[in-house]
């Protein structure tokens, strides 16, 4: 499966943005879709993940209660809704797939091109 993230842009602190991750190819029911981000000069970090076939989600503590991961099965698309954004949310956001319900970057594959989110204060 190939993944392509989109929807990034410039948003003011406190605002909202929705990122999309479009998948081309088959998404197996065992897949986990994950969102990660990488800020300038920092390592890539986990943001959120969900099982494709079961209602299981998990979030990084820094985004919990502000970000929401979801999907549209018919469109083979995963989403990340960013609410109440902060300047520290500024990063390139990536989506990727895994067969493990994990927060570990190394467990994910088929990384798509990222989309830049810039939060102004």
């Amino acid at each position: 499966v190939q993944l392509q993230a989109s929807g990034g842009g410039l948003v003011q602190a406190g605002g909202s943005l929705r990122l999309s991750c479009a998948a081309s190819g088959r998404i197996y029911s065992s897949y986990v879709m994950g969102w990660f981000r990488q800020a300038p000069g920092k390592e890539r970090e986990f943001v959120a993940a969900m099982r494709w076939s079961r209602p299981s989600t998990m979030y990084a503590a820094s985004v919990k209660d502000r970000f929401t991961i979801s999907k549209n099965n018919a469109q083979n698309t995963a989403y990340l809704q960013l609410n109440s954004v902060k300047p520290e949310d500024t990063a390139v956001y990536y989506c990727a797939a895994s067969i493990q319900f994990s927060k570990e970057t190394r467990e994910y594959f088929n990384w798509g091109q990222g989309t830049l989110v810039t939060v102004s204060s």
Side-chain angles (χ1 to χ4, degrees):
V1 61
Q2 290 185 320
L3 304 173
Q4 179 64 54
S6 63
L10 176 64
V11 59
Q12 287 189 333
S16 298
L17 205 62
R18 189 178 78 161
L19 307 183
S20 299
C21 176
S24 59
R26 182 176 178 179
I27 299 178
Y28 292 91
S29 59
S30 59
Y31 274 13
V32 172
M33 300 301 288
W35 283 96
F36 292 77
R37 67 186 182 185
Q38 188 165 16
K42 295 188 176 181
E43 292 188 354
R44 192 169 299 186
E45 65 175 4
F46 171 79
V47 175
M50 66 178 176
R51 296 183 187 274
W52 194 255
S53 61
R54 291 160 55 187
S56 297
T57 60
M58 59 179 173
Y59 296 90
S62 59
V63 306
K64 189 173 173 58
D65 299 327
R66 297 189 299 122
F67 292 7
T68 302
I69 189 171
S70 63
K71 62 182 174 71
N72 183 316
N73 284 11
Q75 296 184 355
N76 258 18
T77 301
Y79 301 99
L80 185 69
Q81 178 68 40
L82 287 62
N83 295 330
S84 302
V85 295
K86 305 174 182 180
E88 52 263 44
D89 294 321
T90 294
V92 177
Y93 284 71
Y94 299 88
C95 57
S98 176
I99 57 174
Q100 301 292 335
F101 194 50
S102 171
K103 298 180 179 181
E104 299 295 329
T105 306
R106 64 178 182 270
E107 298 287 356
Y108 285 79
F109 51 87
N110 287 10
W111 292 86
Q113 284 189 320
T115 186
L116 176 63
V117 173
T118 304
V119 182
S120 62
S121 57

